mmCIF file of all heavy atoms in Angstrom:
data_model
loop_
_atom_site.group_PDB
_atom_site.id
_atom_site.type_symbol
_atom_site.label_atom_id
_atom_site.label_comp_id
_atom_site.label_asym_id
_atom_site.label_seq_id
_atom_site.Cartn_x
_atom_site.Cartn_y
_atom_site.Cartn_z
ATOM 1 N N GLU A 18 -19.885 12.184 30.314
ATOM 2 C CA GLU A 18 -21.250 12.249 29.771
ATOM 3 C C GLU A 18 -21.645 13.681 29.435
ATOM 4 O O GLU A 18 -22.173 13.949 28.358
ATOM 5 C CB GLU A 18 -22.245 11.644 30.761
ATOM 6 C CG GLU A 18 -22.144 10.145 30.888
ATOM 7 C CD GLU A 18 -22.984 9.570 32.017
ATOM 8 O OE1 GLU A 18 -23.657 10.350 32.740
ATOM 9 O OE2 GLU A 18 -22.964 8.338 32.181
ATOM 10 N N ARG A 19 -21.387 14.599 30.347
ATOM 11 C CA ARG A 19 -21.748 16.002 30.122
ATOM 12 C C ARG A 19 -20.955 16.610 28.969
ATOM 13 O O ARG A 19 -21.504 17.340 28.149
ATOM 14 C CB ARG A 19 -21.517 16.823 31.393
ATOM 15 C CG ARG A 19 -22.503 16.519 32.481
ATOM 16 C CD ARG A 19 -22.211 17.341 33.701
ATOM 17 N NE ARG A 19 -23.149 17.021 34.776
ATOM 18 C CZ ARG A 19 -23.256 17.724 35.883
ATOM 19 N NH1 ARG A 19 -22.486 18.773 36.089
ATOM 20 N NH2 ARG A 19 -24.125 17.378 36.808
ATOM 21 N N PHE A 20 -19.668 16.313 28.941
ATOM 22 C CA PHE A 20 -18.832 16.887 27.891
ATOM 23 C C PHE A 20 -19.214 16.354 26.521
ATOM 24 O O PHE A 20 -19.333 17.115 25.560
ATOM 25 C CB PHE A 20 -17.347 16.616 28.178
ATOM 26 C CG PHE A 20 -16.457 17.183 27.121
ATOM 27 C CD1 PHE A 20 -16.245 18.548 27.035
ATOM 28 C CD2 PHE A 20 -15.858 16.354 26.187
ATOM 29 C CE1 PHE A 20 -15.443 19.079 26.033
ATOM 30 C CE2 PHE A 20 -15.062 16.877 25.191
ATOM 31 C CZ PHE A 20 -14.848 18.240 25.111
ATOM 32 N N VAL A 21 -19.422 15.056 26.415
ATOM 33 C CA VAL A 21 -19.794 14.460 25.127
ATOM 34 C C VAL A 21 -21.142 14.998 24.661
ATOM 35 O O VAL A 21 -21.299 15.351 23.481
ATOM 36 C CB VAL A 21 -19.794 12.912 25.205
ATOM 37 C CG1 VAL A 21 -20.464 12.296 23.987
ATOM 38 C CG2 VAL A 21 -18.369 12.396 25.349
ATOM 39 N N GLU A 22 -22.104 15.080 25.553
ATOM 40 C CA GLU A 22 -23.422 15.608 25.185
ATOM 41 C C GLU A 22 -23.294 17.036 24.654
ATOM 42 O O GLU A 22 -23.876 17.394 23.632
ATOM 43 C CB GLU A 22 -24.357 15.572 26.392
ATOM 44 C CG GLU A 22 -25.748 16.089 26.091
ATOM 45 C CD GLU A 22 -26.663 16.025 27.307
ATOM 46 O OE1 GLU A 22 -26.479 15.144 28.149
ATOM 47 O OE2 GLU A 22 -27.546 16.895 27.392
ATOM 48 N N ARG A 23 -22.519 17.837 25.340
ATOM 49 C CA ARG A 23 -22.303 19.226 24.922
ATOM 50 C C ARG A 23 -21.600 19.295 23.569
ATOM 51 O O ARG A 23 -21.986 20.062 22.692
ATOM 52 C CB ARG A 23 -21.477 19.930 25.996
ATOM 53 C CG ARG A 23 -21.246 21.386 25.753
ATOM 54 C CD ARG A 23 -20.446 21.974 26.889
ATOM 55 N NE ARG A 23 -19.447 22.835 26.298
ATOM 56 C CZ ARG A 23 -18.338 23.183 26.864
ATOM 57 N NH1 ARG A 23 -18.027 22.743 28.049
ATOM 58 N NH2 ARG A 23 -17.496 23.982 26.266
ATOM 59 N N ALA A 24 -20.566 18.466 23.391
ATOM 60 C CA ALA A 24 -19.822 18.459 22.128
ATOM 61 C C ALA A 24 -20.699 18.008 20.969
ATOM 62 O O ALA A 24 -20.622 18.555 19.864
ATOM 63 C CB ALA A 24 -18.592 17.563 22.252
ATOM 64 N N LEU A 25 -21.539 17.009 21.212
ATOM 65 C CA LEU A 25 -22.452 16.529 20.172
ATOM 66 C C LEU A 25 -23.411 17.624 19.732
ATOM 67 O O LEU A 25 -23.652 17.813 18.531
ATOM 68 C CB LEU A 25 -23.244 15.318 20.669
ATOM 69 C CG LEU A 25 -22.493 13.999 20.767
ATOM 70 C CD1 LEU A 25 -23.318 12.975 21.521
ATOM 71 C CD2 LEU A 25 -22.112 13.494 19.390
ATOM 72 N N GLN A 26 -23.956 18.342 20.674
ATOM 73 C CA GLN A 26 -24.915 19.398 20.351
ATOM 74 C C GLN A 26 -24.253 20.547 19.610
ATOM 75 O O GLN A 26 -24.785 21.046 18.615
ATOM 76 C CB GLN A 26 -25.583 19.920 21.627
ATOM 77 C CG GLN A 26 -26.526 18.933 22.247
ATOM 78 C CD GLN A 26 -27.088 19.424 23.569
ATOM 79 O OE1 GLN A 26 -26.737 20.494 24.063
ATOM 80 N NE2 GLN A 26 -27.967 18.633 24.164
ATOM 81 N N ARG A 27 -23.094 20.956 20.058
ATOM 82 C CA ARG A 27 -22.426 22.106 19.458
ATOM 83 C C ARG A 27 -21.772 21.781 18.124
ATOM 84 O O ARG A 27 -21.556 22.669 17.317
ATOM 85 C CB ARG A 27 -21.390 22.669 20.423
ATOM 86 C CG ARG A 27 -22.040 23.303 21.619
ATOM 87 C CD ARG A 27 -21.050 23.942 22.515
ATOM 88 N NE ARG A 27 -21.767 24.599 23.602
ATOM 89 C CZ ARG A 27 -21.177 25.238 24.570
ATOM 90 N NH1 ARG A 27 -19.868 25.328 24.606
ATOM 91 N NH2 ARG A 27 -21.886 25.811 25.517
ATOM 92 N N SER A 28 -21.456 20.516 17.919
ATOM 93 C CA SER A 28 -20.755 20.112 16.695
ATOM 94 C C SER A 28 -21.670 19.450 15.684
ATOM 95 O O SER A 28 -21.214 19.021 14.636
ATOM 96 C CB SER A 28 -19.609 19.156 17.049
ATOM 97 O OG SER A 28 -18.741 19.743 17.973
ATOM 98 N N GLU A 29 -22.924 19.292 16.048
ATOM 99 C CA GLU A 29 -23.918 18.696 15.159
ATOM 100 C C GLU A 29 -23.560 17.266 14.762
ATOM 101 O O GLU A 29 -23.544 16.913 13.592
ATOM 102 C CB GLU A 29 -24.126 19.570 13.924
ATOM 103 C CG GLU A 29 -24.627 20.957 14.264
ATOM 104 C CD GLU A 29 -24.770 21.864 13.063
ATOM 105 O OE1 GLU A 29 -24.444 21.453 11.936
ATOM 106 O OE2 GLU A 29 -25.208 22.999 13.266
ATOM 107 N N GLY A 30 -23.235 16.458 15.770
ATOM 108 C CA GLY A 30 -23.014 15.043 15.528
ATOM 109 C C GLY A 30 -21.671 14.534 16.005
ATOM 110 O O GLY A 30 -20.746 15.300 16.256
ATOM 111 N N ALA A 31 -21.609 13.214 16.110
ATOM 112 C CA ALA A 31 -20.424 12.553 16.665
ATOM 113 C C ALA A 31 -19.202 12.704 15.763
ATOM 114 O O ALA A 31 -18.085 12.889 16.245
ATOM 115 C CB ALA A 31 -20.717 11.076 16.913
ATOM 116 N N GLU A 32 -19.397 12.635 14.468
ATOM 117 C CA GLU A 32 -18.259 12.713 13.548
ATOM 118 C C GLU A 32 -17.567 14.074 13.645
ATOM 119 O O GLU A 32 -16.340 14.146 13.779
ATOM 120 C CB GLU A 32 -18.720 12.448 12.116
ATOM 121 C CG GLU A 32 -17.579 12.242 11.153
ATOM 122 C CD GLU A 32 -18.060 11.773 9.787
ATOM 123 O OE1 GLU A 32 -19.091 11.086 9.709
ATOM 124 O OE2 GLU A 32 -17.376 12.104 8.810
ATOM 125 N N ASN A 33 -18.344 15.133 13.612
ATOM 126 C CA ASN A 33 -17.774 16.486 13.745
ATOM 127 C C ASN A 33 -17.158 16.696 15.120
ATOM 128 O O ASN A 33 -16.094 17.297 15.245
ATOM 129 C CB ASN A 33 -18.844 17.547 13.487
ATOM 130 C CG ASN A 33 -19.192 17.682 12.027
ATOM 131 O OD1 ASN A 33 -18.416 17.310 11.154
ATOM 132 N ND2 ASN A 33 -20.366 18.212 11.763
ATOM 133 N N ALA A 34 -17.843 16.233 16.147
ATOM 134 C CA ALA A 34 -17.337 16.396 17.511
ATOM 135 C C ALA A 34 -15.994 15.693 17.677
ATOM 136 O O ALA A 34 -15.062 16.262 18.255
ATOM 137 C CB ALA A 34 -18.347 15.858 18.517
ATOM 138 N N LEU A 35 -15.882 14.480 17.159
ATOM 139 C CA LEU A 35 -14.629 13.734 17.275
ATOM 140 C C LEU A 35 -13.515 14.429 16.504
ATOM 141 O O LEU A 35 -12.394 14.556 16.999
ATOM 142 C CB LEU A 35 -14.822 12.293 16.775
ATOM 143 C CG LEU A 35 -13.643 11.354 16.943
ATOM 144 C CD1 LEU A 35 -13.211 11.248 18.402
ATOM 145 C CD2 LEU A 35 -13.989 9.975 16.394
ATOM 146 N N ARG A 36 -13.827 14.894 15.310
ATOM 147 C CA ARG A 36 -12.818 15.585 14.497
ATOM 148 C C ARG A 36 -12.330 16.848 15.205
ATOM 149 O O ARG A 36 -11.125 17.086 15.321
ATOM 150 C CB ARG A 36 -13.390 15.933 13.119
ATOM 151 C CG ARG A 36 -12.413 16.671 12.210
ATOM 152 C CD ARG A 36 -13.033 17.037 10.865
ATOM 153 N NE ARG A 36 -14.326 17.704 10.959
ATOM 154 C CZ ARG A 36 -14.507 18.987 11.295
ATOM 155 N NH1 ARG A 36 -13.467 19.741 11.581
ATOM 156 N NH2 ARG A 36 -15.716 19.504 11.336
ATOM 157 N N LEU A 37 -13.254 17.641 15.713
ATOM 158 C CA LEU A 37 -12.884 18.870 16.420
ATOM 159 C C LEU A 37 -12.111 18.579 17.704
ATOM 160 O O LEU A 37 -11.151 19.276 18.029
ATOM 161 C CB LEU A 37 -14.130 19.697 16.739
ATOM 162 C CG LEU A 37 -14.826 20.350 15.553
ATOM 163 C CD1 LEU A 37 -16.161 20.950 15.976
ATOM 164 C CD2 LEU A 37 -13.935 21.401 14.913
ATOM 165 N N LEU A 38 -12.535 17.563 18.430
ATOM 166 C CA LEU A 38 -11.851 17.199 19.669
ATOM 167 C C LEU A 38 -10.413 16.797 19.401
ATOM 168 O O LEU A 38 -9.512 17.141 20.157
ATOM 169 C CB LEU A 38 -12.609 16.067 20.375
ATOM 170 C CG LEU A 38 -12.060 15.609 21.716
ATOM 171 C CD1 LEU A 38 -12.013 16.743 22.726
ATOM 172 C CD2 LEU A 38 -12.905 14.455 22.253
ATOM 173 N N ARG A 39 -10.190 16.093 18.312
ATOM 174 C CA ARG A 39 -8.832 15.642 17.983
ATOM 175 C C ARG A 39 -7.970 16.746 17.392
ATOM 176 O O ARG A 39 -6.763 16.767 17.618
ATOM 177 C CB ARG A 39 -8.903 14.467 17.020
ATOM 178 C CG ARG A 39 -9.368 13.208 17.694
ATOM 179 C CD ARG A 39 -9.405 12.040 16.765
ATOM 180 N NE ARG A 39 -9.662 10.813 17.499
ATOM 181 C CZ ARG A 39 -10.134 9.721 16.960
ATOM 182 N NH1 ARG A 39 -10.415 9.685 15.663
ATOM 183 N NH2 ARG A 39 -10.340 8.646 17.701
ATOM 184 N N THR A 40 -8.559 17.650 16.631
ATOM 185 C CA THR A 40 -7.763 18.671 15.957
ATOM 186 C C THR A 40 -7.535 19.913 16.809
ATOM 187 O O THR A 40 -6.463 20.513 16.743
ATOM 188 C CB THR A 40 -8.398 19.100 14.608
ATOM 189 O OG1 THR A 40 -9.714 19.575 14.849
ATOM 190 C CG2 THR A 40 -8.417 17.938 13.630
ATOM 191 N N ASN A 41 -8.536 20.329 17.574
ATOM 192 C CA ASN A 41 -8.398 21.528 18.386
ATOM 193 C C ASN A 41 -9.328 21.449 19.599
ATOM 194 O O ASN A 41 -10.399 22.056 19.600
ATOM 195 C CB ASN A 41 -8.700 22.779 17.549
ATOM 196 C CG ASN A 41 -8.353 24.049 18.285
ATOM 197 O OD1 ASN A 41 -7.785 24.034 19.371
ATOM 198 N ND2 ASN A 41 -8.708 25.179 17.700
ATOM 199 N N PRO A 42 -8.919 20.728 20.637
ATOM 200 C CA PRO A 42 -9.802 20.517 21.795
ATOM 201 C C PRO A 42 -10.151 21.800 22.553
ATOM 202 O O PRO A 42 -11.098 21.807 23.328
ATOM 203 C CB PRO A 42 -9.036 19.542 22.676
ATOM 204 C CG PRO A 42 -7.622 19.643 22.240
ATOM 205 C CD PRO A 42 -7.640 20.053 20.802
ATOM 206 N N HIS A 43 -9.403 22.865 22.327
ATOM 207 C CA HIS A 43 -9.705 24.126 23.014
ATOM 208 C C HIS A 43 -10.378 25.122 22.080
ATOM 209 O O HIS A 43 -10.615 26.258 22.461
ATOM 210 C CB HIS A 43 -8.428 24.740 23.592
ATOM 211 C CG HIS A 43 -7.748 23.823 24.547
ATOM 212 N ND1 HIS A 43 -6.400 23.595 24.536
ATOM 213 C CD2 HIS A 43 -8.232 23.041 25.537
ATOM 214 C CE1 HIS A 43 -6.086 22.724 25.472
ATOM 215 N NE2 HIS A 43 -7.186 22.378 26.098
ATOM 216 N N GLY A 44 -10.712 24.661 20.880
ATOM 217 C CA GLY A 44 -11.264 25.554 19.876
ATOM 218 C C GLY A 44 -12.776 25.658 19.899
ATOM 219 O O GLY A 44 -13.462 25.079 20.744
ATOM 220 N N GLU A 45 -13.272 26.386 18.934
ATOM 221 C CA GLU A 45 -14.697 26.685 18.763
ATOM 222 C C GLU A 45 -15.553 25.423 18.832
ATOM 223 O O GLU A 45 -15.299 24.446 18.145
ATOM 224 C CB GLU A 45 -14.900 27.371 17.405
ATOM 225 C CG GLU A 45 -16.296 27.815 17.115
ATOM 226 C CD GLU A 45 -16.704 29.052 17.894
ATOM 227 O OE1 GLU A 45 -15.827 29.855 18.247
ATOM 228 O OE2 GLU A 45 -17.899 29.189 18.159
ATOM 229 N N GLY A 46 -16.566 25.453 19.686
ATOM 230 C CA GLY A 46 -17.515 24.362 19.792
ATOM 231 C C GLY A 46 -17.113 23.255 20.745
ATOM 232 O O GLY A 46 -17.952 22.475 21.181
ATOM 233 N N ILE A 47 -15.843 23.178 21.103
ATOM 234 C CA ILE A 47 -15.381 22.112 22.006
ATOM 235 C C ILE A 47 -15.003 22.715 23.363
ATOM 236 O O ILE A 47 -15.531 22.322 24.382
ATOM 237 C CB ILE A 47 -14.192 21.332 21.404
ATOM 238 C CG1 ILE A 47 -14.602 20.653 20.095
ATOM 239 C CG2 ILE A 47 -13.659 20.305 22.390
ATOM 240 C CD1 ILE A 47 -15.665 19.579 20.229
ATOM 241 N N TRP A 48 -14.078 23.631 23.385
ATOM 242 C CA TRP A 48 -13.668 24.348 24.593
ATOM 243 C C TRP A 48 -13.436 23.434 25.795
ATOM 244 O O TRP A 48 -13.991 23.632 26.887
ATOM 245 C CB TRP A 48 -14.681 25.433 24.950
ATOM 246 C CG TRP A 48 -14.866 26.463 23.892
ATOM 247 C CD1 TRP A 48 -13.926 27.335 23.419
ATOM 248 C CD2 TRP A 48 -16.058 26.741 23.166
ATOM 249 N NE1 TRP A 48 -14.468 28.134 22.450
ATOM 250 C CE2 TRP A 48 -15.783 27.793 22.280
ATOM 251 C CE3 TRP A 48 -17.342 26.213 23.189
ATOM 252 C CZ2 TRP A 48 -16.732 28.319 21.422
ATOM 253 C CZ3 TRP A 48 -18.287 26.736 22.331
ATOM 254 C CH2 TRP A 48 -17.976 27.778 21.462
ATOM 255 N N LEU A 49 -12.617 22.411 25.606
ATOM 256 C CA LEU A 49 -12.357 21.434 26.662
ATOM 257 C C LEU A 49 -11.793 22.084 27.923
ATOM 258 O O LEU A 49 -12.210 21.751 29.038
ATOM 259 C CB LEU A 49 -11.409 20.342 26.145
ATOM 260 C CG LEU A 49 -11.001 19.244 27.108
ATOM 261 C CD1 LEU A 49 -12.210 18.498 27.642
ATOM 262 C CD2 LEU A 49 -10.043 18.280 26.418
ATOM 263 N N ASP A 50 -10.863 23.003 27.772
ATOM 264 C CA ASP A 50 -10.263 23.646 28.939
ATOM 265 C C ASP A 50 -11.302 24.433 29.741
ATOM 266 O O ASP A 50 -11.309 24.382 30.971
ATOM 267 C CB ASP A 50 -9.092 24.534 28.536
ATOM 268 C CG ASP A 50 -9.428 25.542 27.441
ATOM 269 O OD1 ASP A 50 -10.454 25.380 26.731
ATOM 270 O OD2 ASP A 50 -8.642 26.495 27.274
ATOM 271 N N GLN A 51 -12.207 25.119 29.048
ATOM 272 C CA GLN A 51 -13.256 25.864 29.747
ATOM 273 C C GLN A 51 -14.216 24.912 30.455
ATOM 274 O O GLN A 51 -14.672 25.198 31.567
ATOM 275 C CB GLN A 51 -14.026 26.744 28.764
ATOM 276 C CG GLN A 51 -13.203 27.890 28.216
ATOM 277 C CD GLN A 51 -13.960 28.696 27.179
ATOM 278 O OE1 GLN A 51 -15.176 28.606 27.067
ATOM 279 N NE2 GLN A 51 -13.230 29.497 26.419
ATOM 280 N N PHE A 52 -14.518 23.788 29.813
ATOM 281 C CA PHE A 52 -15.391 22.793 30.446
ATOM 282 C C PHE A 52 -14.755 22.298 31.745
ATOM 283 O O PHE A 52 -15.425 22.195 32.775
ATOM 284 C CB PHE A 52 -15.653 21.614 29.502
ATOM 285 C CG PHE A 52 -16.494 20.549 30.128
ATOM 286 C CD1 PHE A 52 -17.881 20.616 30.075
ATOM 287 C CD2 PHE A 52 -15.908 19.482 30.804
ATOM 288 C CE1 PHE A 52 -18.672 19.636 30.685
ATOM 289 C CE2 PHE A 52 -16.683 18.505 31.414
ATOM 290 C CZ PHE A 52 -18.060 18.577 31.347
ATOM 291 N N VAL A 53 -13.465 21.987 31.715
ATOM 292 C CA VAL A 53 -12.777 21.480 32.910
ATOM 293 C C VAL A 53 -12.763 22.547 34.003
ATOM 294 O O VAL A 53 -13.002 22.234 35.178
ATOM 295 C CB VAL A 53 -11.353 20.988 32.565
ATOM 296 C CG1 VAL A 53 -10.550 20.691 33.822
ATOM 297 C CG2 VAL A 53 -11.436 19.744 31.680
ATOM 298 N N ASP A 54 -12.522 23.795 33.639
ATOM 299 C CA ASP A 54 -12.551 24.875 34.642
ATOM 300 C C ASP A 54 -13.901 24.933 35.344
ATOM 301 O O ASP A 54 -13.969 25.002 36.574
ATOM 302 C CB ASP A 54 -12.261 26.227 33.980
ATOM 303 C CG ASP A 54 -10.807 26.417 33.590
ATOM 304 O OD1 ASP A 54 -9.937 25.683 34.102
ATOM 305 O OD2 ASP A 54 -10.551 27.314 32.760
ATOM 306 N N VAL A 55 -14.976 24.901 34.574
ATOM 307 C CA VAL A 55 -16.324 24.973 35.141
ATOM 308 C C VAL A 55 -16.638 23.717 35.950
ATOM 309 O O VAL A 55 -17.224 23.790 37.036
ATOM 310 C CB VAL A 55 -17.373 25.198 34.028
ATOM 311 C CG1 VAL A 55 -18.797 25.032 34.551
ATOM 312 C CG2 VAL A 55 -17.188 26.577 33.403
ATOM 313 N N PHE A 56 -16.223 22.552 35.448
ATOM 314 C CA PHE A 56 -16.475 21.297 36.165
ATOM 315 C C PHE A 56 -15.774 21.310 37.519
ATOM 316 O O PHE A 56 -16.367 20.934 38.538
ATOM 317 C CB PHE A 56 -16.024 20.107 35.317
ATOM 318 C CG PHE A 56 -16.437 18.781 35.883
ATOM 319 C CD1 PHE A 56 -17.712 18.283 35.661
ATOM 320 C CD2 PHE A 56 -15.565 18.028 36.658
ATOM 321 C CE1 PHE A 56 -18.114 17.068 36.198
ATOM 322 C CE2 PHE A 56 -15.948 16.810 37.194
ATOM 323 C CZ PHE A 56 -17.226 16.326 36.954
ATOM 324 N N PHE A 57 -14.515 21.750 37.547
ATOM 325 C CA PHE A 57 -13.790 21.829 38.813
ATOM 326 C C PHE A 57 -14.502 22.773 39.785
ATOM 327 O O PHE A 57 -14.601 22.479 40.975
ATOM 328 C CB PHE A 57 -12.345 22.289 38.582
ATOM 329 C CG PHE A 57 -11.365 21.174 38.413
ATOM 330 C CD1 PHE A 57 -11.534 20.200 37.439
ATOM 331 C CD2 PHE A 57 -10.251 21.091 39.217
ATOM 332 C CE1 PHE A 57 -10.634 19.165 37.280
ATOM 333 C CE2 PHE A 57 -9.330 20.061 39.068
ATOM 334 C CZ PHE A 57 -9.521 19.099 38.103
ATOM 335 N N GLU A 58 -14.980 23.881 39.275
ATOM 336 C CA GLU A 58 -15.680 24.843 40.126
ATOM 337 C C GLU A 58 -16.996 24.256 40.640
ATOM 338 O O GLU A 58 -17.311 24.348 41.832
ATOM 339 C CB GLU A 58 -15.942 26.126 39.349
ATOM 340 C CG GLU A 58 -16.514 27.239 40.187
ATOM 341 C CD GLU A 58 -16.606 28.543 39.420
ATOM 342 O OE1 GLU A 58 -15.700 28.848 38.641
ATOM 343 O OE2 GLU A 58 -17.617 29.241 39.629
ATOM 344 N N GLU A 59 -17.749 23.635 39.746
ATOM 345 C CA GLU A 59 -19.058 23.092 40.113
ATOM 346 C C GLU A 59 -18.954 21.989 41.160
ATOM 347 O O GLU A 59 -19.797 21.872 42.045
ATOM 348 C CB GLU A 59 -19.738 22.547 38.860
ATOM 349 C CG GLU A 59 -21.138 22.059 39.081
ATOM 350 C CD GLU A 59 -21.802 21.603 37.781
ATOM 351 O OE1 GLU A 59 -21.472 22.124 36.717
ATOM 352 O OE2 GLU A 59 -22.656 20.694 37.864
ATOM 353 N N PHE A 60 -17.907 21.179 41.074
ATOM 354 C CA PHE A 60 -17.750 20.059 42.005
ATOM 355 C C PHE A 60 -16.732 20.351 43.111
ATOM 356 O O PHE A 60 -16.231 19.437 43.762
ATOM 357 C CB PHE A 60 -17.410 18.774 41.242
ATOM 358 C CG PHE A 60 -18.598 18.236 40.508
ATOM 359 C CD1 PHE A 60 -18.851 18.616 39.191
ATOM 360 C CD2 PHE A 60 -19.497 17.401 41.133
ATOM 361 C CE1 PHE A 60 -19.968 18.153 38.520
ATOM 362 C CE2 PHE A 60 -20.616 16.927 40.474
ATOM 363 C CZ PHE A 60 -20.854 17.309 39.157
ATOM 364 N N LEU A 61 -16.456 21.631 43.302
ATOM 365 C CA LEU A 61 -15.605 22.105 44.397
ATOM 366 C C LEU A 61 -14.213 21.471 44.380
ATOM 367 O O LEU A 61 -13.639 21.148 45.425
ATOM 368 C CB LEU A 61 -16.296 21.875 45.746
ATOM 369 C CG LEU A 61 -17.711 22.444 45.858
ATOM 370 C CD1 LEU A 61 -18.323 22.072 47.196
ATOM 371 C CD2 LEU A 61 -17.725 23.940 45.638
ATOM 372 N N LEU A 62 -13.664 21.329 43.192
ATOM 373 C CA LEU A 62 -12.323 20.776 43.026
ATOM 374 C C LEU A 62 -11.290 21.868 42.762
ATOM 375 O O LEU A 62 -10.102 21.584 42.642
ATOM 376 C CB LEU A 62 -12.308 19.772 41.860
ATOM 377 C CG LEU A 62 -13.230 18.569 42.013
ATOM 378 C CD1 LEU A 62 -13.348 17.816 40.696
ATOM 379 C CD2 LEU A 62 -12.740 17.656 43.119
ATOM 380 N N ASN A 63 -11.723 23.112 42.680
ATOM 381 C CA ASN A 63 -10.838 24.226 42.338
ATOM 382 C C ASN A 63 -10.195 24.836 43.585
ATOM 383 O O ASN A 63 -10.239 26.035 43.818
ATOM 384 C CB ASN A 63 -11.605 25.290 41.543
ATOM 385 C CG ASN A 63 -12.786 25.846 42.307
ATOM 386 O OD1 ASN A 63 -13.262 25.240 43.248
ATOM 387 N ND2 ASN A 63 -13.253 27.009 41.904
#
Side-chain angles (χ1 to χ4, degrees):
E18 289 171 359
R19 289 179 182 191
F20 180 73
V21 168
E22 181 179 330
R23 184 179 137 203
L25 286 169
Q26 290 175 357
R27 291 184 177 179
S28 304
E29 299 177 358
E32 191 171 330
N33 285 338
L35 185 58
R36 179 182 50 77
L37 290 171
L38 183 59
R39 287 182 171 159
T40 58
N41 189 6
H43 302 135
E45 184 74 27
I47 299 296
W48 300 297
L49 179 58
D50 52 342
Q51 291 176 16
F52 178 87
V53 170
D54 286 342
V55 170
F56 189 82
F57 267 56
E58 187 173 321
E59 185 177 330
F60 287 91
L61 307 176
L62 299 168
N63 59 341

